[in-house]
Amino acid sequence: VQLQASGGGLVQAGGSLRLSCAVSGRTLSSYDMGWFRQAPGKERRFVAAMTSGGGAIYYVDSVKGRFTISRDNAKNTVYLQMNSLKPEDTAVYYCARVSKSGSIWSSYGSWGQGTLVTVSS
């Protein structure tokens, strides 16, 4: 499975961006999918996830009410709509296949290329 994130860029605080993740090699509908981000000098961290059928959605507390994950299985694409962006959202964003153990979401397989989001104050 190959993953390609896109849609990042430079935006002012309070602005919006929509990230896309194109999945190739396998059918997207088979997988739970998630978004992670890695801020400069920090570890990669979970942001959001959606189950394969879209029936369940999870967010890290810091993005609840601002970010929305969605998917179009027909287009083999996962999205992350980011509103009310803050400087602390600045990071490289990655999509990944994910699995859940207890309350913890983890990625598996390849990461693919991320997309840089920079939020200026």
Side-chain angles (χ1 to χ4, degrees):
V1 175
Q2 289 78 46
L3 307 171
Q4 177 68 53
S6 62
L10 174 63
V11 63
Q12 289 188 331
S16 298
L17 284 173
R18 188 194 195 201
L19 305 184
S20 298
C21 173
V23 179
S24 59
R26 291 290 180 92
T27 303
L28 176 63
S29 60
S30 301
Y31 304 109
D32 297 345
M33 295 295 296
W35 287 93
F36 293 72
R37 65 186 180 186
Q38 186 168 17
K42 296 188 177 181
E43 295 182 348
R44 196 172 303 184
R45 295 191 178 275
F46 170 80
V47 175
M50 174 179 273
T51 53
S52 58
I57 295 174
Y58 303 85
Y59 298 99
V60 67
D61 286 346
S62 59
V63 309
K64 285 180 180 177
R66 301 188 299 121
F67 289 13
T68 302
I69 187 172
S70 62
R71 62 195 293 158
D72 186 335
N73 287 340
K75 294 183 178 180
N76 261 22
T77 303
V78 182
Y79 304 98
L80 186 68
Q81 177 67 43
M82 306 187 296
N83 299 329
S84 302
L85 282 161
K86 304 176 181 180
E88 52 263 44
D89 294 318
T90 295
V92 178
Y93 285 72
Y94 300 86
C95 60
R97 291 176 290 172
V98 295
S99 60
K100 190 170 181 284
S101 176
S103 62
I104 304 299
W105 285 95
S106 300
S107 67
Y108 64 94
S110 61
W111 281 104
Q113 184 174 340
T115 186
L116 176 63
V117 173
T118 304
V119 184
S120 63
S121 57

